Amino acid sequence: MRTVLDFEKPIAELDANIEALKRITAEQGIDKSEEIAALERDRERLLREIFRKLTPWDRTLLARHPQRPYTLDYIRVIFDDFVELHGDRQFGDDGAVIGGMAWLNEKPVMVIGQQKGRDLKERQRRNFGMAKPEGYRKALRLMYLAEKFGRPVITFVDTPAADPGVESESRGISEAIARNLREMMMLKVPIVSVVIGEGGSGGALGIAVADRVLMQEYAIYSVIPPEGCAAILWRDPKRAPEAAEALKLTAQDALRFGVVDEVVAEPLGGAHRDPLAAAQMVKEALLKHLPPLQKLSVGKLRESRYERYRNLGVWTVAAE
Amino acid sequence: MQRGWFARHRRSEELNLDEMNDAWVKCNGCQQILFARDFERNLKVCPRCGHHHRLSARERIALLADEETFVERDAEVVSADPLGFPEYVDKLNRGKANSGLPEAIISGTCTLSGIPIVLAVQDFAFMGGSMGSAVGEKVVRAMEYALEQRLPIVICSTSGGARMQEGLLSLMQMAKTCAAAAKLHEAGVPYISVLTDPTMAGVLASYASVGDVVIAEPGALIGFAGQRVAQQAQVIKPPPNFQTAEFQLEHGMVDIVVPRKELKHTLSRVLRFFTGG
Ligand SMILES: [Zn+2]
């Protein structure tokens, strides 16, 4: 079942009309091409209009859109081949985190990403993209493997949060995330992260410490979900749209704060309207950012990674 | 050693009517009414049930640092309001008033049983010890100073996690503090993390979990997800000691759970392992 967000409804109507005309053309051989072209022009104008005025909450909904491409969708388009590798060698294999060997324009890279599920069954298997400790530990194992053979690491970030359950707590979810933060800081190969959907707080960051962090135009990145923030601030989760505004969770905000290095444009109407084009745009961004990092010495690479994070934050000096 | 506490309680001995209430405290553990003097003398640990009540940052420094050796650093680093977040400035002002501190962490140098260290201590009374940019900066500066001077560093955490009011910038302090911890790790500078009630979420999932040795106080709440979120997410029923120091010890996430009266001595023994003394 396709999900249509409220602000997408006028577009969905036009989509349906265009489809109907195309069907008439195909089935009855009546030439409707002029009408179709006119409707398509209307649709483009409407899309531009709607997407120019998106609120942070609209963007939150887009980032969580059930039709939005997920990590595996990007992997299939961006890389020539992908050999998925499983397990953390300690406890198990986390379905919410996938990883493996891939080839970006024939050059080997290690790819790691959080994976949401498309249907109910897959959603459960993927735990809604919420990684458990074994997911972060699998990611780290694959990063060490990449480091051992000098391959760069590319991560795709898309999670509402790390798994908050009893099992995850029992196996040290905090330790797993904290260790990744520290180890990714020291990794001797380049890391590029792309926030492709929901950048959900520490759960996202646990695979997102990188030399370059890219973020898609309609992805979000936040310290807390807007609903949780509204519940704490106003004891009312329904005020999430206001919280989304206050949290400054959009890609443009992340760029302004220096948290991300580039906002990767999405096709008009969002990545889900044209997943292939969206993936091509991400691929181009990867091809732009990765090669210069591969030319750096290990020392220089890690020094600039440290500086990148060292300088994040805004504070002030107290007047005595 | 804890001269400040005795001095404070002496006032309540005067039996001034206004101060009568100060003479008694109610234990948060067993709900018993305790004589404040016994309570303070016992380092705010209930003499009856052993419940460890929260210490302010100043109290904990008094507990750990040798007398008159603590020299504060980076006191001028305080929070700004980079997002223009609703009510944040008010909350900062309230935090300052509640804690008597300019920020949710105090850092500096001292000796502990004669061993020179860098010591940083969070204060829950300042916005729940939450970590915004200023706290992150102070943790990193403390770690960088420890690295530069090759001094062991002890950080005592008490925090609800990353500070929501600075959004993504707070989240990034998790990476920033772990970046500095990585430098300590590579340089072989000892880092001891002390988890006190409560140490949660973004602080536990960053610098507080990457100490060479992780020590916790008995009964301290230590966990990833806030109780509200954790409860919503539970498919499996949590055990009665869920997210306590003892739970984390049982699951291999903490090296030692140490009663408060032994904390300084235990730290000195651990520090000697590293310093070779
Ligand atoms: Zn008691």
Side-chain angles (χ1 to χ4, degrees), chain B residues 97-110:
Chain B
N98 287 346
S99 64
L101 301 176
E103 192 44 72
I105 191 166
I106 307 179
S107 57
T109 54
C110 65

Side-chain angles (χ1 to χ4, degrees), chain B residues 225-261:
Chain B
Q227 295 284 327
R228 194 178 49 85
V229 179
Q231 249 141 42
Q232 278 166 5
Q234 299 317 345
V235 185
I236 300 168
K237 199 174 165 334
N241 70 349
F242 186 56
Q243 292 186 332
T244 60
E246 292 72 19
F247 173 91
Q248 299 296 356
L249 181 74
E250 191 182 308
H251 288 91
M253 297 304 143
V254 159
D255 288 289
I256 333 170
V257 174
V258 184
R260 190 170 290 161
K261 66 176 189 307

Side-chain angles (χ1 to χ4, degrees), chain A residues 137 161-167 169-175 177-179 181-183 185-186 188 199-205 209 215 221-224 227-234 243 246-250 253-254 256-257 259 302-303 305-320, chain B residues 75-87 91 102 133-134 137 140-141 144 162-176 178-183 185-186 201 204-207 209-212 222-225 228-230 233-239 242-243 247-248 251-253:
Chain A
R137 289 173 185 143
D163 180 71
V166 174
E167 284 179 276
E169 192 72 75
S170 305
R171 293 195 288 274
I173 185 71
S174 301
E175 193 275 346
I177 291 172
R179 179 177 296 270
L181 300 183
R182 187 185 72 182
E183 295 299 302
M185 214 57 80
M186 296 187 290
K188 295 187 178 79
S201 76
L205 190 60
V209 171
M215 187 165 169
Y221 202 173
S222 183
V223 69
I224 184 170
E227 292 88 340
C229 176
I232 293 170
L233 266 191
W234 304 300
L247 284 166
K248 306 280 182 281
L249 45 62
T250 72
D253 293 318
R256 180 160 57 93
F257 290 130
V259 172
R302 298 204 309 169
E303 195 181 307
R305 191 184 302 149
Y306 183 78
E307 286 306 314
R308 187 187 187 285
Y309 285 92
R310 175 67 185 84
N311 295 327
L312 285 176
V314 176
W315 44 272
T316 189
V317 172
E320 274 306 309
Chain B
E76 73 281 7
V77 175
V78 295
S79 294
D81 181 14
L83 272 54
F85 198 92
E87 298 160 40
K91 283 189 176 129
S133 301
E137 178 70 19
V140 168
R141 285 188 184 196
E144 285 178 340
R163 191 177 291 170
M164 186 175 78
Q165 289 82 354
E166 291 182 30
L168 207 39
L169 291 170
S170 292
L171 184 69
M172 290 303 131
Q173 303 312 306
M174 292 173 66
K176 175 168 163 170
C178 284
K183 291 230 162 181
H185 182 66
E186 282 192 316
L204 186 65
S206 64
Y207 65 88
S209 280
V210 292
D212 294 301
I222 299 165
F224 178 67
R228 194 178 49 85
V229 179
Q234 299 317 345
V235 185
I236 300 168
K237 199 174 165 334
F242 186 56
Q243 292 186 332
F247 173 91
Q248 299 296 356
H251 288 91
M253 297 304 143

Side-chain angles (χ1 to χ4, degrees), chain B:
Chain B
M1 184 176 67
Q2 285 84 37
R3 189 179 284 167
W5 297 346
F6 293 128
R8 203 155 1 95
H9 117 83
R10 238 175 255 130
R11 287 187 301 121
S12 58
E13 275 184 338
E14 292 164 12
L15 293 176
N16 178 320
L17 263 181
D18 287 343
E19 290 178 345
M20 271 294 275
N21 289 338
D22 291 350
W24 305 96
V25 291
K26 193 169 144 192
C27 172
N28 291 337
C30 63
Q31 312 299 323
Q32 295 263 13
I33 306 295
L34 307 168
F35 196 33
R37 183 173 55 191
D38 297 342
F39 179 66
E40 297 277 333
R41 240 179 221 159
N42 208 36
L43 313 173
K44 294 196 171 173
V45 176
C46 174
R48 309 211 181 183
C49 75
H51 184 84
H52 283 54
H53 294 75
R54 285 172 194 156
L55 293 184
S56 71
R58 291 285 178 208
E59 286 168 337
R60 192 167 292 278
I61 290 168
L63 173 71
L64 298 179
D66 298 338
E67 204 173 331
E68 290 182 4
T69 63
F70 185 78
V71 180
E72 190 173 355
R73 297 177 55 82
D74 306 316
E76 73 281 7
V77 175
V78 295
S79 294
D81 181 14
L83 272 54
F85 198 92
E87 298 160 40
Y88 185 29
V89 173
D90 291 347
K91 283 189 176 129
L92 285 172
N93 288 333
R94 225 174 304 149
K96 285 172 199 169
N98 287 346
S99 64
L101 301 176
E103 192 44 72
I105 191 166
I106 307 179
S107 57
T109 54
C110 65
T111 64
L112 188 153
S113 303
I115 306 162
I117 61 165
V118 174
L119 177 65
V121 181
Q122 281 180 291
D123 197 308
F124 196 77
F126 193 111
M127 289 192 74
S130 57
M131 174 167 63
S133 301
V135 169
E137 178 70 19
K138 289 182 79 167
V139 168
V140 168
R141 285 188 184 196
M143 287 178 168
E144 285 178 340
Y145 189 71
L147 181 71
E148 186 192 307
Q149 302 293 317
R150 297 203 67 88
L151 287 173
I153 178 165
V154 176
I155 303 184
C156 302
S157 305
T158 169
S159 176
R163 191 177 291 170
M164 186 175 78
Q165 289 82 354
E166 291 182 30
L168 207 39
L169 291 170
S170 292
L171 184 69
M172 290 303 131
Q173 303 312 306
M174 292 173 66
K176 175 168 163 170
T177 54
C178 284
K183 291 230 162 181
L184 294 177
H185 182 66
E186 282 192 316
V189 172
Y191 163 32
I192 302 166
S193 174
V194 179
L195 313 179
T196 74
D197 184 60
T199 300
M200 301 296 293
V203 165
L204 186 65
S206 64
Y207 65 88
S209 280
V210 292
D212 294 301
V213 174
V214 180
I215 295 174
E217 280 202 328
L221 184 69
I222 299 165
F224 178 67
Q227 295 284 327
R228 194 178 49 85
V229 179
Q231 249 141 42
Q232 278 166 5
Q234 299 317 345
V235 185
I236 300 168
K237 199 174 165 334
N241 70 349
F242 186 56
Q243 292 186 332
T244 60
E246 292 72 19
F247 173 91
Q248 299 296 356
L249 181 74
E250 191 182 308
H251 288 91
M253 297 304 143
V254 159
D255 288 289
I256 333 170
V257 174
V258 184
R260 190 170 290 161
K261 66 176 189 307
E262 292 167 25
L263 181 60
K264 182 170 181 173
H265 183 57
T266 302
L267 278 170
S268 73
R269 288 158 69 209
V270 169
L271 285 165
R272 280 203 193 90
F273 175 86
F274 294 118
T275 57

Side-chain angles (χ1 to χ4, degrees), chain A residues 177-219:
Chain A
I177 291 172
R179 179 177 296 270
N180 279 19
L181 300 183
R182 187 185 72 182
E183 295 299 302
M184 290 181 86
M185 214 57 80
M186 296 187 290
L187 209 71
K188 295 187 178 79
V189 291
I191 312 172
V192 178
S193 287
V194 195
V195 184
I196 58 168
E198 280 185 281
S201 76
L205 190 60
I207 62 161
V209 171
D211 301 294
R212 295 284 183 277
V213 182
L214 317 177
M215 187 165 169
Q216 280 188 299
E217 196 175 355
Y218 304 121

